[in-house]
Amino acid sequence: MTTAESEVFRLRLIEQKSELDAMADAGEDAARPIELDQSRMGRLSRIDALQGQQMAQEIERRRQQRLAAIAGALKRIDSGEFGVCFSCGEDIDRRRLRADPVMTRCFSCASA
């Protein structure tokens, strides 16, 4: 992979990281603990609030997972290992990397 290609992927990954960081602020309120005071909130409202809280926690878990994958991809760019399959050592198709630059396996190894 050329240096220019690596830089394009680096910029794209940094942009994705920035977007995910911005999402963190928006999701903080939804993930806060739910107050179970029956005098202030009905049973169905509490259930809805608990469901919303669980969804917010899952979104945060996935956001953290994606951030870790982006950090790994950026490290691979720095070390010159970006675009190389973890399993077989062959180059990952550029179209696959354009679709998702955090890919760590070629199509053949990912399919197996």
Side-chain angles (χ1 to χ4, degrees):
M1 177 174 298
T2 67
T3 306
E5 285 178 315
S6 294
E7 283 307 308
V8 169
F9 284 116
R10 179 192 306 279
L11 293 174
R12 188 163 165 219
L13 288 163
I14 290 171
E15 182 180 321
Q16 286 182 12
K17 183 181 180 311
S18 296
E19 290 172 5
L20 289 170
D21 288 340
M23 284 177 52
D25 298 333
E28 283 182 15
D29 290 338
R32 285 201 173 112
I34 304 300
E35 192 172 315
L36 298 176
D37 184 7
Q38 289 185 351
S39 64
R40 294 180 59 204
M41 187 184 297
R43 181 172 52 109
L44 294 177
S45 296
R46 284 192 314 277
I47 291 171
D48 285 343
L50 288 170
Q51 183 180 22
Q53 179 188 39
Q54 289 295 315
M55 289 171 52
Q57 289 172 347
E58 178 62 17
I59 289 169
E60 178 59 18
R61 185 189 69 77
R62 289 181 186 194
R63 188 184 76 78
Q64 290 294 331
Q65 202 172 37
R66 183 68 181 185
L67 285 170
I70 289 171
L74 289 170
K75 284 181 185 176
R76 288 191 302 280
I77 288 173
D78 291 339
S79 68
E81 297 174 358
F82 183 77
V84 177
C85 178
F86 277 7
S87 297
C88 68
E90 296 294 321
D91 286 344
I92 300 172
D93 191 312
R94 299 298 178 261
R95 293 173 293 181
R96 186 167 172 79
L97 289 172
R98 276 188 227 112
D100 189 3
V102 301
M103 290 287 173
T104 59
R105 290 179 173 52
C106 66
F107 182 76
S108 299
C109 292
S111 298

